[in-house]
Amino acid sequence: MKNVGKFSIVLGLGLLTIVSCKKKEEDVIIDDVDPITVVEIDENTTLLSGPMKGTLLSGKTYILTGDLIVPEGEEIVAQECVTIIAEGDGGPIGPEITVHGSFVSLGTEACPNLFSVPVNMRTEANIFAGLWGGIQCSDKAKLVVLKWTRMEYLGGEGGPGTPRAGKIRYGLWTLSSDTEIVLEDSWFYGCKDDVYRPVGGKINLVRNTFEYCGETGGDGLNVKAGTVGNIAFNVFYGSATNAFKPSNEGDGVIQTNINVYNNTIINGGFRRPGLSRGANINYEVGARGGAYNNIIVNCKRGIRVLETADVPNVVVDNNLYYASHQEMVDEFIPTDAATSTLAALGTNNIYGAVNDNNPMFVNYNIDQFSYADYEAGELQPSNMNRNDGADLRLSAGSPALGAGTTAFTPVSVNWVYATGNRAPSIMLPSADLGAYPASGNGNRHY
């Protein structure tokens, strides 16, 4: 992607060099050189590229022709019914939204926002192609909000001058403990690596749906040092590795503290070879928090707590495990982390033998896949990794009804920038397990 900001800075330095070569006795007045020109988005804007600010208007479609840059101190706000199509400039590297300020997408249930690629490129063959770079934040970014927003076909190599230059991009990447991230009621479909990797930050991920995340590696959420917040009432189909991995790896001065509760995680972990990783929720490297009230169905392994985690401050309780195959049952307590996982395991988890404790989803054939299907890598059946007409609400008589705990509170977060219509929905736990409690106060994607 072309980097207008970098070119302007070089030009400015060139002017200063020329001036400095003049004779000392000359009196020279030097005007400040503006390093970048920020374009104000208006009602005539249709193409997005370079440094911009302003409002993307409801009902409009915008073409991302190059890297869209939100400068420090500026913001871009997308109203409801906004579509962004990432076409790029014809080069080999897909464009991205680079955020040094704030990016806010305020889709609604009645009219969600869509950030995708051209229609002819939305194919199963392109699910892991990494056709565009999603949202990449610098350590100056203040806020990213995605409400009722669908992001698709994410990843691919970052271009020169971007935060992930020369490296595979995550669907969303943040780099500061001060950055605030609100992801609510949104969909993430097809990502080459991690969907979201926060290297520090304040996070609230609730009521989202994740599908086809990670080609042969990568997590839905891959937390690093200095990240605090909550992950609740999400649905996850077919992660390559973990659905959610809290870790304190890195140089953050704030300890990672994440509560993961009332999520439904299905068919996870099988595109990552071997048993060296988790498959649904994985606490490691100094992280603390709790995993409560989750439904874990046909994942490669159970919830995993490594001995490197802050084990005395990790709790795993009131979760339901289901497996169609013995190999999955054998890893309900991950064999490479059995001692530390058992140390964090409460007494109210529900698990047994093959086919025990079926959560009784309203419409989902829980035993439809052979073990060979799970081990097929990129040749896995497509409906293993996405919602293909499933209804994951709980039928009457489900063992998940009333089996949870509400005797904990969400991790407390001091929100500074996420206020007003950008504010997070702080979800209290439900005694019904999974993302769809009988009250209807959970995930809104049916």
Side-chain angles (χ1 to χ4, degrees):
M1 296 298 100
K2 296 177 182 178
N3 194 316
V4 176
K6 181 180 289 185
F7 175 78
S8 299
I9 292 169
V10 172
L11 178 60
L13 290 174
L15 289 174
L16 291 174
T17 302
I18 292 170
V19 169
S20 68
C21 292
K22 291 183 178 292
K23 295 178 180 180
K24 292 182 179 179
E25 62 268 20
E26 294 183 25
D27 292 325
V28 180
I29 299 174
I30 303 174
D31 291 330
D32 290 335
V33 177
D34 185 0
I36 60 172
T37 298
V38 181
V39 175
E40 180 85 34
I41 297 166
D42 61 25
E43 66 273 10
N44 297 314
T45 302
T46 58
L47 305 181
L48 303 177
S49 183
M52 303 183 84
K53 64 179 181 179
T55 302
L56 303 176
L57 299 175
S58 178
K60 290 196 67 172
T61 295
Y62 298 87
I63 306 301
L64 191 62
T65 59
D67 293 341
L68 173 61
I69 302 167
V70 187
E72 186 177 356
E74 305 291 357
E75 68 175 21
I76 290 177
V77 179
Q79 298 176 342
E80 67 175 359
C81 307
V82 165
T83 299
I84 297 177
I85 302 299
E87 286 189 357
D89 59 5
I93 296 177
E96 67 180 53
I97 300 171
T98 306
V99 180
H100 306 289
S102 298
F103 183 85
V104 178
S105 175
L106 299 175
T108 63
E109 185 170 6
C111 203
N113 292 344
L114 173 65
F115 302 163
S116 188
V117 295
V119 173
N120 66 308
M121 301 180 74
R122 299 175 201 170
T123 65
E124 195 163 327
N126 282 334
I127 285 172
F128 298 128
L131 297 178
W132 73 291
I135 301 172
Q136 308 298 312
C137 297
S138 75
D139 60 357
K140 304 299 183 183
K142 298 300 184 187
L143 177 67
V144 175
V145 176
L146 300 177
K147 295 189 177 185
W148 289 100
T149 299
R150 182 177 179 90
M151 293 181 63
E152 303 178 327
Y153 302 97
L154 303 160
E157 182 180 322
T162 62
R164 293 288 296 174
K167 301 176 182 179
I168 294 297
R169 292 171 290 191
Y170 312 116
L172 170 61
W173 194 41
T174 59
L175 290 172
S176 170
S177 59
D178 294 324
T179 303
E180 298 179 4
I181 302 293
V182 178
L183 307 183
E184 296 184 355
D185 301 303
S186 293
W187 299 263
F188 302 91
Y189 181 88
C191 190
K192 191 171 183 67
D193 204 285
D194 298 337
V195 176
Y196 174 30
R197 180 178 289 199
V199 184
K202 306 170 186 179
I203 68 172
N204 194 66
L205 278 66
V206 301
R207 303 187 304 265
N208 303 291
T209 297
F210 298 81
E211 302 167 281
Y212 263 125
C213 298
E215 186 174 19
T216 57
D219 305 303
L221 179 72
N222 188 347
V223 171
K224 300 303 181 185
T227 308
V228 296
N230 299 282
I231 303 169
F233 297 94
N234 301 285
V235 174
F236 210 114
Y237 293 90
S239 61
T241 314
N242 306 289
F244 308 115
K245 185 180 78 174
S247 168
N248 199 50
E249 181 181 10
D251 299 324
V253 296
I254 299 171
Q255 183 184 17
T256 292
N257 184 13
I258 305 289
N259 276 352
V260 186
Y261 57 97
N262 284 102
N263 301 282
T264 299
I265 304 170
I266 299 176
N267 303 331
F270 284 91
R271 286 194 304 281
R272 180 67 177 252
L275 287 174
S276 62
R277 301 282 177 155
N280 45 84
I281 302 166
N282 193 79
Y283 282 88
E284 60 181 56
V285 194
R288 66 182 297 171
Y292 306 94
N293 304 343
N294 301 287
I295 296 177
I296 313 296
V297 171
N298 287 334
C299 287
K300 191 173 188 177
R301 320 188 78 180
I303 297 172
R304 182 171 177 253
V305 180
L306 270 68
E307 62 181 10
T308 59
D310 183 4
V311 178
N313 290 303
V314 177
V315 179
V316 176
D317 210 1
N318 296 86
N319 303 284
L320 183 149
Y321 300 75
Y322 177 86
S324 299
H325 303 282
Q326 184 61 46
E327 292 90 340
M328 300 168 178
V329 172
D330 293 342
E331 288 294 325
F332 278 164
I333 307 299
T335 52
D336 69 337
T339 300
S340 47
T341 298
L342 287 169
L345 207 65
T347 59
N348 301 297
N349 294 287
I350 302 171
Y351 54 92
V354 172
N355 301 132
D356 284 351
N357 306 305
N358 189 321
M360 298 172 60
F361 297 129
V362 167
N363 181 31
Y364 183 73
N365 182 358
I366 205 167
D367 297 315
Q368 62 185 299
F369 303 116
S370 69
Y371 199 72
D373 288 334
Y374 285 101
E375 292 193 309
E378 294 180 52
L379 299 179
Q380 289 176 333
S382 59
N383 59 334
M384 180 181 286
N385 296 286
R386 67 184 183 205
N387 186 320
D388 195 21
D391 184 341
L392 300 182
R393 289 176 290 184
L394 304 173
S395 299
S398 167
L401 291 170
T405 177
T406 59
F408 68 95
T409 57
V411 172
S412 178
V413 176
N414 178 30
W415 300 97
V416 177
Y417 310 111
T419 60
N421 61 359
R422 305 157 184 217
S425 301
I426 306 304
M427 300 291 292
L428 296 177
S430 171
D432 295 335
L433 307 186
Y436 295 94
S439 66
N441 292 328
N443 196 294
R444 303 176 191 177
H445 300 161
Y446 299 109

